[in-house]
Amino acid sequence: MFASKWPLSQIGWASRAVVLLVGLAWLREQTAAISDLPYVEGDLWRNLILISAYWVTMLATGFYLAAAWCAGSGFLRLDKGAAFGPALVRGLREIGGNLIAGALTAIVFAPTVLPIIEDRFRGVRYDFEVEPLTIGWIGLLLWLITAAGEKLQTEMESFV
């Protein structure tokens, strides 16, 4: 059992509940905002492009919410007594991977795909902002820590 005064299972379930509530509120907010897009009556193709472009800009948030969900799962694994083993390493890798994917989506994917969808593509674009860069670096750090942890565990097992 993980030695802590914190009720890790409660933190894990609360994390998941918060992610679910925030995700549903975010989805409701974004769905309501779709009605404010500048639709052209009778032009189904253009309207579909507007909706697609709108949701492409929202992909990063989905990855960030997935990372938070994986963090809740990590708390639950710790509460079950999982040491820094394969289950926890997998969880940290999932968190890191989702953070990296969200950052790459916000920095490169959305700024590049949006002009493609809107038929005004002029090459790969990027949007360097502090938040996605920081989130991406943290994700990369988690990813590299898990790789180092797996390597260290493999070396330790080879001694036994």
Side-chain angles (χ1 to χ4, degrees):
M1 184 84 182
F2 185 75
S4 174
K5 294 182 181 183
W6 295 96
L8 294 176
S9 64
Q10 291 175 2
I11 293 172
W13 287 112
S15 298
R16 285 182 161 188
V18 167
V19 168
L20 187 62
L21 291 174
V22 168
L24 289 173
W26 171 79
L27 188 62
R28 181 176 172 263
E29 178 182 298
Q30 300 311 317
T31 305
I34 285 178
S35 63
D36 295 335
L37 292 175
Y39 295 111
V40 176
E41 191 171 332
D43 193 353
L44 178 62
W45 183 248
R46 183 179 186 290
N47 294 339
L48 287 174
I49 288 172
L50 278 173
I51 293 170
S52 300
Y54 183 78
W55 283 109
V56 163
T57 62
M58 299 295 131
L59 284 175
T61 304
F63 283 116
Y64 298 150
L65 288 172
W69 182 270
C70 292
S73 299
F75 283 117
L76 293 174
R77 287 185 189 117
L78 283 173
D79 187 58
K80 291 179 183 175
F84 194 78
L88 195 55
V89 167
R90 188 181 79 236
L92 290 174
R93 182 182 295 123
E94 289 171 353
I95 294 168
N98 280 312
L99 292 177
I100 292 168
L104 288 175
T105 300
I107 295 168
V108 178
F109 183 73
T112 300
V113 170
L114 204 55
I116 292 172
I117 292 173
E118 295 171 348
D119 200 26
R120 53 183 180 85
F121 182 69
R122 299 218 192 297
V124 175
R125 296 178 183 208
Y126 51 88
D127 185 15
F128 289 119
E129 293 184 19
V130 173
E131 295 87 358
L133 281 171
T134 304
I135 290 170
W137 280 115
I138 292 169
L140 182 62
L141 178 66
L142 285 172
W143 185 272
L144 294 174
I145 286 172
T146 58
E150 285 178 327
K151 182 180 175 187
L152 184 62
Q153 184 161 358
T154 305
E155 288 177 9
M156 286 177 40
E157 288 173 356
S158 69
F159 290 127
V160 175

